[in-house]
Amino acid sequence: MIGLGRMGANMVRRMSAAGIDCVAHDRNAETVTALQEEGVASGADSVENLVSQLSAPRTVWVMVPAAYAGAVVRDVAQYLEPGDVVIDGGNTHYPLDIERAQVLGESNIDYIDVGTSGGVFGLERGYCLMIGGPTAQVERLDPIFRALAPGVPSAERTRGRTAQPAQEEFGYLHCGPAGAGHFVKMVHNGIEYAMMQAYAEGFGLLSRANVGAEETEIDAETTPMDRPELFSYDFDLGAISEVWRRGSVIGSWLLDLTAAAMHDDPHLDAFEGHVSDSGEGRWTVLAAVGAGAPVPTIADALFSRFASRGNAEVGNKVLSAMRSEFGGHKEKKSEK
């Protein structure tokens, strides 16, 4: 395992618990030392040293941010031999997987892309794995994927599934050739953007349900509230998140996490609402354009993240300027 960040180290721990011997490397030597002291991995102070400790056929799992994955894969490949495997478990853009598989294939080194979902809770919950690559190597590495995956008991079996559990019911799936795993993970994260946005907008509306009690100026620039008495509710958002977790059709792990966050910080004062995006939402929208597939909700969620970072400021100023020019509308300054 190369990369012992938020997920890599716990993946090593989970594999070790399943009896899989691991060698670990990270630029931060302290994280390597920590795993050694726990007795869950042998340490390596370089990529070359890591590869030297593995027996053929070697398998090297790269778990680093997408921006660095290509360089690390190239670094690893120079020490490998025909029959060895490189796994990229990060969030790489799937076209790069296709290119890397072709390049490594020229040296008879196999490349597998594994979209990995589970975050910081994966050690206990397991990791949902979406796999792309050659069938023979994916099948050979099945014990690793099964050790990392959540397992059949992690979810109630789907109605009608009564035969022996299929691979996907264990929480991992060979989705197809190179790039297939990261394509599925890309769309997975695009859906995640949209789900998160729906929760955010819903709670945002609930937080404004008492707006009828606010004093508002009566002027030409403010739309008067027709019936302020309809908006006189002071909702406890944390309590609502809790009740929705029980028996509601919109219950989910994302809602569970939201409820936990609201319990710890009821007004979410620790956050400014600056929402980052790590690439997968953008790639999902680009893939949808290429395929001619409508994904308006995912696209809107992505653009909302852009707006949260102040990227709509100039556009909003242009709107105010146009209103001022054509109608003499005076901009109302924010109280914040």
Side-chain angles (χ1 to χ4, degrees), residues 70-309:
V72 176
V73 168
R74 289 191 295 272
D75 190 14
V76 170
Q78 66 179 319
Y79 303 111
L80 298 182
E81 299 174 349
D84 292 344
V85 176
V86 178
I87 298 174
D88 179 1
N91 283 322
T92 291
H93 196 192
Y94 76 94
L96 297 177
D97 293 316
I98 298 173
E99 296 173 9
R100 292 174 193 166
Q102 293 172 341
V103 172
L104 268 61
E106 294 173 359
S107 301
N108 292 317
I109 298 170
D110 287 309
Y111 177 89
I112 295 175
D113 53 285
V114 179
T116 308
S117 181
V120 296
F121 297 93
L123 177 59
E124 294 80 20
R125 291 172 56 97
Y127 300 88
C128 176
L129 306 176
M130 295 143 271
I131 306 165
T135 299
Q137 291 286 28
V138 171
E139 290 179 348
R140 181 176 71 83
L141 299 174
D142 187 81
I144 292 176
F145 300 135
R146 186 160 296 199
L148 288 169
V152 177
S154 62
E156 183 178 346
R157 294 196 76 188
T158 300
R159 184 180 65 249
R161 283 186 178 256
T162 56
Q164 278 293 112
Q167 184 185 73
E168 59 269 22
E169 293 184 84
F170 287 88
Y172 67 103
L173 179 67
H174 183 203
C175 302
H182 278 149
F183 191 106
V184 175
K185 178 58 163 47
M186 173 188 73
V187 177
H188 164 285
N189 283 25
I191 293 171
E192 177 185 295
Y193 278 38
M195 291 175 65
M196 292 172 70
Q197 186 66 26
Y199 281 125
E201 292 177 7
F203 281 109
L205 174 57
L206 289 169
S207 75
R208 295 283 293 163
N210 63 351
V211 70
E214 297 179 2
E215 292 186 9
T216 57
E217 297 180 29
I218 300 176
D219 55 45
E221 301 305 315
T222 305
T223 303
M225 177 164 283
D226 184 31
R227 297 182 61 187
E229 71 274 12
L230 297 180
F231 298 92
S232 58
Y233 303 109
D234 187 13
F235 290 125
D236 182 334
L237 302 189
I240 290 172
S241 69
E242 284 293 339
V243 73
W244 280 352
R245 292 180 60 217
R246 293 165 172 83
S248 165
V249 295
I250 63 168
S252 73
W253 188 37
L254 285 173
L255 183 60
D256 296 344
L257 298 175
T258 302
M262 288 183 172
H263 179 269
D264 294 340
D265 184 0
H267 300 291
L268 303 180
D269 293 327
F271 304 94
E272 296 182 357
H274 181 289
V275 188
S276 299
D277 71 288
S278 53
E280 300 83 8
R282 302 186 188 206
W283 303 335
T284 302
V285 173
L286 291 173
V289 171
V295 292
T297 307
I298 294 174
D300 184 66
L302 174 65
F303 295 147
S304 292
R305 293 194 178 197
F306 295 165
S308 79
R309 305 199 290 265

